[in-house]
């Protein structure tokens, strides 16, 4: 009985005879841990049980109006009182009456008037059993919640692992693909430069170069999804960029669609690659146009979210990832299109997943946006329902620094020179085409298949004005170590890296360190010549300054 005494018992006694209160209440009121409430109104059994928070009900069998059997039925029919123990008190000591009581849901049956100590013991027993049941039920509820949380966590982990695996695969594919494209692009540009084809053949060359450009965009999108695309990040004020997008997006959406911009006042600065952010918004606008079938409203909203507001938007609770508690700028791209089902949203960020008909989409728009935003330290979420449109929410972390001044646009006009350039590239076909392009532009060109050979060339006395080196190559010496050697021995020489995939060597989380110059493969002869001339002009300026 000592265990039963540990539970407080709230007892409800329902009987039409006041003597019941005297006979039962006198003893129970003097017992520790027992609280008794007496009432004659059997028809109010459910309300009385809830008011007193009863965990044992004593009820007389024979009463005018509702009797003990009716009370059992009422209590068992209510979800809140269905499991409260009921002890039926009766002057009838026959098996049929007892059987009926137990069949209706009574927990015990006592013939009036039971001995006080026996009644107390039964009350404490049923009270303890009721508490134990409630504890068990609460434990089962908690267990189910934990299981649901575990399943949700496992699903989030599985999704994150799947996205990471796809990202690694696509990153590797994009790297090799870019090298192949560079071989094709380099030789096609050489054909143009050397005027070795007829006018009809030149048309074919231009078509092939357009195909290379499409392939380069595809590889760029894959690298963006994989979060391995080198980002030229800068601290920027988004307001001018977002405000000026109306006209461009209007042309993309067509005459039957409307573009609405809602830019909040005094947007905070963010650190981002503006060109890539433009591409993201453009791709999302194209998705919106297709979802709206060319007509509807595309809304671009932007506003500041302080750390508390960001938490309310669940930015700091991304599935399986830790996101710092910080201020954000929120960019929303919302359409009035067909919307997405829950099943489609679960896969929306996967590369090549699309609901568009065959030939009408690559399935890379959202995956590219996902990779870019993650790589920029932000979060991206989807809100959508079938028939109610889609809203893509992009959260980019605030940057306290001053926005960088706009740099003048680079010209794509080909220009050469007489300087000496060392080309280091392990892919022979890429190296041969690049050397030929630079030589045709007038440069004196040295070539090496790897960093070890290039170092020997430099140590033998070769003087250069610019090192143009691939990032990932075989050999003992890395491209970074080669660049350090050049900076040490020939401090006025410029270093330009090139790669189809530089993550982990030059870039970390996709961001280039300050002062590192990278030309992504595949590059055109115009882009190559412009970039080299720009860097050689910087070299000349620094030499004059030093003098």
């Amino acid at each position: 009985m000592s265990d039963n005494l540990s539970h407080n018992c709230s007892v409800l006694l329902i009987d039409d005879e006041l003597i019941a209160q005297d006979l039962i209440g006198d003893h129970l009121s003097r017992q520790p841990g027992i609280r008794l409430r007496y009432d004659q109104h059997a028809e109010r059994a459910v309300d009385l049980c809830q008011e007193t928070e009863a965990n044992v009900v004593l009820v007389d069998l024979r009463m005018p109006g509702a009797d003990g059997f009716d009370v059992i039925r009422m209590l068992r029919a209510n979800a809140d009182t269905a499991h409260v123990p009921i002890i039926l008190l009766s002057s009838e000591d026959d098996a049929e009456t007892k059987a009926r009581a137990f069949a209706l849901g009574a927990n015990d049956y006592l013939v009036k008037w039971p001995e006080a100590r026996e009644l107390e013991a039964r009350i404490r027993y049923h009270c303890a059993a009721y508490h134990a049941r409630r504890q068990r039920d609460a434990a089962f509820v908690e267990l189910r919640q934990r299981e649901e949380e575990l399943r949700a966590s496992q699903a989030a982990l599985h999704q994150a692992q799947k996205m990471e695996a796809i990202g690694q695969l696509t990153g590797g594919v994009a790297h090799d693909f870019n090298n192949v494209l560079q071989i094709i692009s380099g030789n096609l540009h050489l054909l143009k430069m050397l005027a070795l084809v007829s006018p009809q053949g030149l048309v074919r060359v231009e078509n092939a170069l357009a195909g290379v450009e499409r392939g380069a965009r595809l590889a760029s999108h894959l690298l963006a999804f994989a979060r391995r695309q080198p980002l030229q990040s800068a601290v920027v004020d988004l307001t001018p960029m977002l405000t000026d997008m109306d006209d461009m997006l209007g042309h993309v959406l067509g005459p039957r669609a409307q573009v609405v911009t809602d830019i909040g006042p005094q947007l905070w600065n963010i650190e981002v690659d503006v060109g890539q952010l433009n591409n993201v918004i453009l791709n999302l606008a194209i998705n919106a146009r297709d979802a709206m079938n060319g007509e509807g409203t595309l809304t671009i909203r932007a506003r500041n979210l302080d750390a508390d507001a960001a938490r309310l938007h669940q930015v700091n609770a991304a599935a399986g990832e830790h996101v710092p508690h910080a201020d954000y700028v929120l960019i929303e791209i919302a359409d009035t299109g067909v919307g997405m089902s829950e099943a489609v949203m679960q896969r929306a960020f996967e590369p090549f997943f699309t609901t568009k008909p065959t030939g009408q989409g690559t399935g890379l728009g959202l995956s590219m946006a996902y990779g870019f935003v993650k790589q920029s330290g932000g979060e991206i979420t989807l809100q959508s329902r079938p028939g109610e449109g889609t809203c893509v929410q992009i959260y980019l972390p605030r940057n306290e620094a001053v926005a960088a001044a706009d740099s003048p646009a680079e010209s794509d006009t080909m220009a050469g020179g007489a300087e000496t350039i060392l080309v280091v590239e392990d892919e022979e076909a890429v190296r041969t085409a690049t050397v030929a392009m630079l030589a045709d532009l007038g440069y004196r060109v040295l070539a090496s298949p790897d960093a070890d050979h290039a170092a020997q060339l430099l140590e033998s006395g070769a003087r250069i004005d610019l090192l143009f080196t691939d990032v990932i190559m075989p050999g003992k010496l890395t491209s970074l170590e080669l660049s350090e050697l050049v900076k040490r021995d020939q401090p006025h020489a410029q270093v330009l890296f090139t790669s189809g995939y530089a993550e982990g060597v030059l870039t970390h989380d996709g961001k280039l360190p300050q002062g590192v110059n990278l030309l992504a493969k595949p590059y055109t002869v115009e882009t190559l010549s412009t970039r080299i001339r720009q860097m050689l002009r910087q070299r000349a300026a620094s030499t004059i300054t030093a003098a």
Side-chain angles (χ1 to χ4, degrees):
M1 183 180 288
S2 59
D3 290 341
N4 293 342
L5 284 171
S6 64
H7 298 289
N8 290 322
C9 298
S10 176
V11 181
L12 173 62
L13 172 61
I14 302 175
D15 199 311
D16 61 319
E17 297 180 355
L18 288 174
I19 191 174
Q21 183 180 19
D22 296 331
L23 293 173
I24 293 176
D26 180 62
H27 175 73
L28 294 182
S29 63
R30 291 184 279 108
Q31 305 309 311
I34 295 180
R35 185 178 72 252
L36 180 69
R37 165 78 178 271
Y38 169 74
D39 204 287
Q40 295 177 308
H41 302 91
E43 69 279 0
R44 294 191 61 241
V46 172
D47 291 338
L48 292 169
C49 191
Q50 292 175 329
E51 288 172 10
T52 59
E53 297 182 348
N55 38 51
V56 176
V57 175
L58 298 174
V59 60
D60 186 26
L61 175 57
R62 302 301 179 189
M63 294 180 289
D67 63 11
F69 292 140
D70 294 325
V71 170
I72 296 173
R73 291 190 190 93
M74 287 187 286
L75 293 177
R76 293 296 176 251
N78 187 283
D80 294 332
T81 60
H83 301 296
V84 176
I86 302 172
I87 301 175
L88 196 61
L89 299 173
S90 175
S91 57
E92 302 171 26
D93 190 13
D94 65 279
E96 185 176 344
T97 303
K98 292 177 182 179
R100 184 183 175 192
F102 287 124
L104 288 172
N107 298 82
D108 211 339
Y109 188 103
L110 290 174
V111 178
K112 288 183 176 179
W113 294 100
E115 199 274 328
R117 288 177 298 175
E118 179 186 357
L119 177 60
E120 179 192 345
R122 288 176 183 264
I123 287 173
R124 292 193 185 278
Y125 169 79
H126 290 296
C127 178
Y130 178 69
H131 281 292
R133 181 189 183 98
R134 294 190 64 179
Q135 290 172 353
R136 183 202 65 187
D137 291 346
F140 275 124
V141 168
E142 184 179 2
L143 179 61
R144 282 194 296 270
Q145 290 175 340
R146 295 286 177 85
E147 288 175 345
E148 290 172 2
E149 291 170 0
L150 179 61
R151 279 194 295 270
S153 297
Q154 289 174 335
L157 177 61
H158 174 72
Q159 181 71 4
Q161 289 174 334
K162 181 174 70 173
M163 297 291 269
E164 182 63 24
I166 295 173
Q168 290 177 353
L169 175 63
T170 54
V173 169
H175 168 253
D176 292 340
F177 190 44
N178 276 331
N179 269 333
V180 173
L181 289 176
Q182 185 57 55
I183 294 170
I184 299 170
S185 173
N187 284 283
L188 289 172
H189 279 104
L190 277 174
L191 285 175
K192 285 180 62 179
M193 293 170 67
L194 299 175
L196 296 178
V197 292
S198 65
Q200 294 83 357
L202 189 59
V203 173
R204 300 297 182 188
V205 170
E206 293 291 354
N207 286 340
L209 284 172
V212 170
E213 187 177 346
R214 286 180 60 188
R217 285 198 300 269
L218 174 64
S220 175
H221 288 174
L222 287 171
L223 286 172
F225 166 75
R227 300 184 236 174
R228 289 163 171 80
Q229 180 171 239
L231 297 180
Q232 305 285 343
S233 297
V235 179
V236 296
D237 176 6
L238 281 180
T239 302
M241 185 198 88
L242 295 176
T243 305
D244 294 341
M245 293 196 77
D246 290 33
D247 290 340
M248 180 188 72
L249 294 181
H251 292 305
V252 170
L253 296 179
R256 295 181 299 160
Q258 181 183 10
V259 180
V260 176
T261 54
D262 178 14
I263 311 302
Q266 298 179 327
L267 286 182
W268 293 323
N269 292 340
I270 61 172
E271 184 178 6
V272 73
D273 186 320
V274 176
Q276 292 301 327
L277 181 59
N278 265 308
N279 286 339
V280 166
I281 295 176
L282 181 60
N283 276 294
L284 294 177
I286 292 171
N287 283 351
R289 177 198 64 192
D290 296 341
M292 297 188 297
N293 201 20
E295 55 185 346
T297 301
L298 176 71
T299 304
I300 298 179
R301 289 185 291 266
R303 64 183 185 275
N304 297 328
L305 286 180
D306 61 25
D308 292 331
R311 187 169 56 227
L312 291 176
H313 283 72
Q314 297 181 334
V315 178
N316 294 354
E321 297 187 15
H322 171 71
V323 181
H325 183 66
D327 297 335
Y328 289 85
V329 174
L330 169 62
I331 304 171
E332 294 180 302
I333 299 94
D335 64 58
T336 56
V338 295
M340 303 183 202
S341 66
E342 187 66 31
V344 170
M345 281 203 296
Q346 289 292 326
R347 299 190 61 194
F349 290 127
E350 293 181 15
F352 302 113
F353 175 76
T354 180
T355 57
K356 299 175 185 177
T358 303
Q360 293 188 20
T362 62
L364 287 172
L366 275 173
S367 63
M368 186 266 284
Y370 171 88
F372 165 74
V373 173
K374 291 284 192 177
Q375 194 174 351
S376 301
E379 289 295 320
I380 181 168
T381 61
L382 286 177
Q383 292 185 355
S384 184
R385 287 185 180 178
E388 297 183 12
T390 299
C391 179
V392 181
Q393 297 178 310
I394 296 173
Y395 300 83
L396 294 170
R398 177 185 185 182
N399 193 294
E400 302 278 0
V402 177
D406 292 336
S407 56
E410 295 180 6
S411 169
D412 279 341
T413 304
M414 279 196 298
E419 292 91 347
T420 300
I421 298 175
L422 172 57
V423 176
V424 186
E425 169 65 61
D426 61 307
E427 285 273 357
E428 183 178 359
V430 175
R431 183 174 68 251
T432 302
T434 302
V435 168
M437 285 191 291
L438 292 173
D440 200 60
L441 289 170
Y443 294 107
R444 177 174 176 262
V445 186
L446 305 176
S448 292
D450 53 48
D452 295 322
H453 181 272
Q456 293 173 6
L457 194 65
L458 293 170
E459 289 168 356
S460 67
R463 308 298 296 177
I464 64 172
D465 299 292
L466 184 140
L467 170 66
F468 184 48
T469 177
D470 190 22
V471 173
I472 301 174
M473 294 179 293
K476 294 181 180 179
L477 203 65
T478 68
S479 57
L480 276 177
E481 291 169 336
L482 175 63
S483 70
E484 292 298 326
L485 185 150
V486 169
K487 291 175 183 177
R488 184 192 68 201
D489 295 342
Q490 303 186 43
H492 294 300
Q494 297 291 299
V495 178
L496 176 59
F497 293 98
T498 182
S499 181
Y501 170 64
E503 174 65 22
V505 181
L506 282 185
T507 65
H508 302 283
D509 295 326
K511 297 180 180 179
L512 288 171
Q514 191 72 23
V516 172
N517 295 287
L518 175 67
L519 180 61
K521 293 178 181 177
Y523 46 81
T524 66
V525 64
E526 292 86 2
T527 304
L528 177 63
S529 66
T530 299
R531 194 67 178 275
I532 286 178
R533 283 317 314 161
Q534 180 191 41
M535 294 186 66
L536 289 174
R537 281 196 298 269
Q538 291 174 355
R539 173 183 180 273
S542 63
T543 303
I544 293 172
T545 303

